[in-house]
Amino acid sequence: MPLKNLTDVSASAKEFVQDHKIAIACTVTTACGLIALKRYMAGGVCRSKALMNGKTVLITGANTGIGKETAKDLASRGARVLLACRDITKAERAAEDIRKSTGNKDVVVYVLDLCSLKSVRQCADDVIKKEARLDVLINNAGVMWTPYWKTKDGFEMQFGTNHLGHFLFTNLLLDLLKKSAPSRIINVSSLAHERGTINFDDLNSEKSYSPAKAYSQSKLANVLFTRELSKRLQGTGVTANSLHPGVIKTELGRYRDTTLWRRILFVPVILLVFKTPIQGAQTTIHCAVSKDLTDVSGKYFSDCVVKVEAPQAHDDEAAAKLWTVSEEMVGLTQKS
């Protein structure tokens, strides 16, 4: 390009900038702000380089989302990883992907349908029979904002799957966890617990049902369960902590309103606010591997640090009552 033409282009560019300097400044400022927001929403990162050789980790719902990313990370650290999932085909596919990406062949699949107490008991029995130890139990699986469905045992789906299924599963594996101490139990809850209340008069939402309220109740139950569990495990070498993984774009939200216009309007929110599954798995990984947490129990984590739960999550009386009611609902006081 001739020098004169380059000079003309340069002059035109300068003139454009001069005429639109306010708009350009606003655009640059907005872009920088959005980039900063995106980085902030990505949350904390697990900095621990701890290896997991010789340790066995079980993760429920590990065939997709943050469960799969957690499994992949722990497998890369040398752990024997057990994927406890409902869909055996997806689980086997995920296990093979983890084996290939990490080079760790010690990734095993167990069948676990948390909305069936029979399946929960069968899976726990299989694990106890086949596994010599269990160092970390990660209760990760869950459902969110479902229509009013019931589990195979007649419980409201979200309370039954997110709380009762994991409550029974954890209790059935306690002896193996104690035998493997020091060991850890990690319950994946949610910030939604802050909006939750435990409706002891209608735990199955039979009188009235709101998908959001039922979900929040189940997530508050996760935190209260962790609180009571940590007390009962004092002196055993087994710790129990809960966490909020962040707002993440995973299959968990598949039951939300899926109308086209809502999807279109939601795209900017997803791009800016939602974490990726890898980012969402960081707090779970931190709670599973950090050597600083060996003796930490009964805490609630978010972005890889301890956070204060909602006031209702500090209710010891409610936590103890929920434990007793849950035992009765799953038949834990009866001979399994």
Side-chain angles (χ1 to χ4, degrees):
M1 182 181 291
L3 182 60
K4 183 178 183 302
N5 289 344
L6 286 173
T7 302
D8 291 342
V9 170
S10 177
S12 297
K14 288 181 179 179
E15 183 178 348
F16 177 84
V17 171
Q18 187 65 30
D19 292 342
H20 300 85
K21 57 184 177 182
I22 295 178
I24 293 172
C26 290
T27 301
V28 172
T29 300
T30 300
C32 291
L34 292 177
I35 292 172
L37 175 63
K38 180 66 175 176
R39 289 181 177 177
Y40 172 78
M41 294 306 297
V45 176
C46 177
R47 304 293 181 184
S48 174
K49 303 299 181 183
L51 297 179
M52 299 287 282
N53 301 91
K55 295 183 182 294
T56 298
V57 180
L58 189 154
I59 309 169
T60 67
N63 62 293
T64 187
I66 65 174
K68 181 180 177 183
E69 294 302 334
T70 300
K72 188 178 295 184
D73 182 279
L74 299 182
S76 71
R77 295 171 186 262
R80 172 175 170 80
V81 179
L82 317 179
L83 312 184
C85 308
R86 179 180 58 83
D87 190 321
I88 190 67
T89 301
K90 288 184 178 179
E92 290 290 2
R93 192 180 303 132
E96 184 58 27
D97 178 59
I98 293 170
R99 294 184 195 109
K100 288 181 179 179
S101 63
T102 66
N104 184 344
K105 304 301 180 184
D106 209 3
V107 181
V108 181
V109 172
Y110 282 89
V111 178
L112 172 65
D113 183 354
L114 287 163
C115 69
S116 165
L117 298 183
K118 180 180 179 180
S119 175
V120 171
R121 284 190 165 88
Q122 183 61 59
C123 182
D125 188 54
D126 290 343
V127 171
I128 291 169
K129 288 179 179 177
K130 297 177 182 179
E131 302 298 331
R133 61 185 302 111
L134 180 57
D135 301 274
V136 183
L137 169 62
I138 301 175
N139 291 318
N140 165 81
V143 292
M144 176 182 179
W145 289 16
T146 65
Y148 187 67
W149 293 336
K150 288 194 173 183
T151 68
K152 295 177 182 178
D153 301 282
F155 306 125
E156 186 276 313
M157 183 62 73
Q158 297 185 82
F159 187 74
T161 301
N162 298 348
H163 170 60
L164 292 177
H166 282 129
F167 175 85
L168 177 59
F169 193 54
T170 301
N171 274 281
L172 293 175
L173 293 175
L174 279 183
D175 285 343
L176 183 56
L177 285 158
K178 291 175 182 177
K179 173 186 170 184
S180 309
S183 52
R184 307 181 184 191
I185 298 169
I186 301 163
N187 294 320
V188 178
S189 180
S190 167
L191 189 65
H193 86 274
E194 294 186 351
R195 299 187 296 275
T197 58
I198 304 297
N199 187 354
F200 286 106
D201 294 326
D202 190 25
L203 287 173
N204 286 313
S205 303
E206 294 175 331
K207 297 177 182 178
S208 65
Y209 181 69
S210 160
K213 288 182 179 179
Y215 179 70
S216 295
Q217 174 179 248
S218 73
K219 295 291 100 179
L220 175 58
N222 291 155
V223 181
L224 289 172
F225 167 45
T226 305
R227 187 176 184 85
E228 180 66 16
L229 179 61
S230 68
K231 291 183 178 181
R232 292 172 179 252
L233 290 174
Q234 288 180 3
T236 65
V238 183
T239 61
N241 292 294
S242 61
L243 64 90
H244 167 56
V247 183
I248 309 155
K249 177 57 179 174
T250 67
E251 292 181 8
L252 185 63
R254 60 188 175 277
Y255 298 114
R256 287 185 174 187
D257 191 318
T258 55
T259 53
L260 180 60
W261 71 269
R262 282 183 179 270
R263 286 184 178 181
I264 294 173
L265 291 176
F266 215 49
V267 167
V269 178
I270 293 174
L271 293 176
L272 291 173
V273 178
F274 280 40
K275 292 182 179 182
T276 65
I278 292 177
Q279 292 168 340
Q282 294 303 304
T283 302
T284 305
I285 296 167
H286 172 72
C287 289
V289 306
S290 176
K291 293 181 179 179
D292 294 335
L293 303 183
T294 301
D295 299 315
V296 175
S297 190
K299 301 299 182 181
Y300 172 77
F301 289 78
S302 180
D303 286 330
C304 300
V305 296
V306 175
K307 294 290 179 68
V308 179
E309 312 95 313
Q312 62 268 36
H314 289 262
D315 190 335
D316 289 328
E317 185 177 339
K321 182 177 181 179
L322 178 63
W323 185 286
T324 300
V325 172
S326 298
E327 280 186 323
E328 295 172 353
M329 294 179 78
V330 302
L332 195 59
T333 54
Q334 303 172 8
K335 190 173 182 179
S336 299

